[in-house]
Amino acid sequence: MVYFMGLDVGSTASKCVIMNDDEKVIADAVITVGAGTSGPGRAVEGALTAAGLTQDDIAVTAATGYGRNAIGFAALTVSELSCHARGAVWLQPAVRTVIDIGGQDAKALAITPDGRLDRFVMNDKCAAGTGRFLEVMARILETEPSEMGGLDAQSQKRIEISSTCTVFAESEVISQLSSGVEICDIIAGIHRSVATRAASLAKRLGTVPPVLMTGGVARNGGVVRALASALDIPVLTDERSQLAGAIGAALFARERYGKSIV
Ligand code: ADP
């Protein structure tokens, strides 16, 4: 069997998948630190160990993400947009719109009926509407991003976070906390604010269903629900949504191998 590695070195997290020649993901690893840290190396080690393989067993490695150019052993580097689109189609073959919210940016991708990236819009200028915004809010609320979806589900009262800037939203949340607003209601308001920004990106593209959410923030069920409500259409997700970029990279690695042996 031939194996391929896809490594997505994000700003916030490092993701690695190992894929076999049948395009099946046989192992993966996510490390919650990204470019410029030990994260990429640890993600590679984690995935190899989970697969029971060594680096010598990997035919081709492709790297993507913000830190992709620092991966010396990668035979090729591929843009995040291409990898996310390809990984999203692997996760959900019928997908026509991908909404990817990562640690420091958010993107909406339009996919053609035959599964190719058509157009995209992106917010990489501002932390609001990204995973970073959620991390800042989690810290003030003394919780973790991984707990926020469950807390949101307990919300009974609708409150708005009106500030669009992360710094002002931080002050607004602190003031709500000190006036006794329930944490779960604040979290639901935070999720609606992230979802509103992502929905406006998607609307600029023209949202064609099925819609799939990718990136680490897709693991937050509160944001997924708020996004479906903001777009007024179902939003799909997948337990491997955070791996979409790494899966896309592994598919490019497999394609490169196919070309090299022809
Ligand atoms: P990047 O590729 O930009 O490094 P990711 O797509 O991996 O980022 O997303 C990282 C973000 O995903 C974090 O900022 C955090 O908000 C969110 N996240 C990661 N893991 C979880 C989790 N288990 N539950 C909820 N949110 C998560």
Side-chain angles (χ1 to χ4, degrees):
M1 187 56 94
V2 189
Y3 299 102
F4 308 97
M5 180 178 281
L7 180 58
D8 179 2
V9 185
S11 60
T12 307
S14 307
K15 285 79 63 177
C16 183
V17 305
I18 297 174
M19 182 176 273
N20 67 18
D21 208 17
D22 296 331
E23 292 193 5
K24 186 165 182 282
V25 171
I26 61 156
D28 65 75
V30 177
I31 304 290
T32 56
V33 281
T37 71
S38 62
R42 284 160 56 204
V44 167
E45 275 312 307
L48 285 171
T49 304
L53 299 174
T54 69
Q55 190 84 55
D56 292 342
D57 297 312
I58 305 296
V60 181
T61 296
T64 187
Y66 179 72
R68 63 183 177 273
N69 292 321
I71 307 302
F73 59 86
L76 69 158
T77 56
V78 187
S79 85
E80 282 163 85
L81 289 162
S82 300
C83 287
H84 266 277
R86 201 150 176 191
V89 172
W90 185 93
L91 288 168
Q92 185 57 248
V95 68
R96 297 294 310 280
T97 307
V98 180
I99 299 176
D100 166 57
I101 311 185
Q104 277 183 19
D105 62 23
K107 318 173 187 75
L109 281 54
I111 307 292
T112 61
D114 59 346
R116 286 175 300 106
L117 174 62
D118 183 13
R119 289 164 297 123
F120 72 94
V121 287
M122 183 163 182
N123 160 32
D124 59 354
K125 300 277 181 290
C126 169
T130 70
R132 176 88 185 126
F133 180 82
L134 293 164
E135 287 179 22
V136 168
M137 297 305 157
R139 200 169 54 240
I140 305 169
L141 297 169
E142 298 183 270
T143 183
E144 298 292 329
S146 57
E147 303 296 320
M148 291 172 90
L151 289 164
D152 171 311
Q154 296 166 29
S155 170
Q156 305 273 354
K157 192 168 160 219
R158 188 179 173 100
I159 62 127
E160 299 303 327
I161 305 292
S162 53
S163 311
T164 45
C165 162
T166 307
V167 177
F168 291 149
E170 200 172 348
S171 315
E172 193 178 347
V173 165
I174 291 169
S175 128
Q176 283 172 339
L177 266 182
S178 52
S179 57
V181 180
E182 293 287 343
I183 286 185
C184 56
D185 296 330
I186 298 177
I187 287 176
I190 289 167
H191 289 163
R192 276 194 294 277
S193 133
V194 170
T196 302
R197 293 180 78 91
S200 74
L201 280 182
K203 284 174 185 163
R204 272 164 56 198
L205 269 186
T207 316
V208 180
V211 179
L212 176 73
M213 195 176 161
T214 62
V217 176
R219 297 177 71 181
N220 180 331
V223 176
V224 180
R225 288 189 295 274
L227 185 56
S229 159
L231 290 171
D232 204 20
I233 51 172
V235 172
L236 306 171
T237 184
D238 186 287
E239 57 183 13
R240 288 177 291 191
S241 271
Q242 192 176 14
L243 298 172
I247 291 170
L251 290 166
F252 278 106
R254 182 177 176 276
E255 187 175 288
R256 166 67 64 92
Y257 179 79
K259 284 183 183 148
S260 71
I261 59 167
V262 167

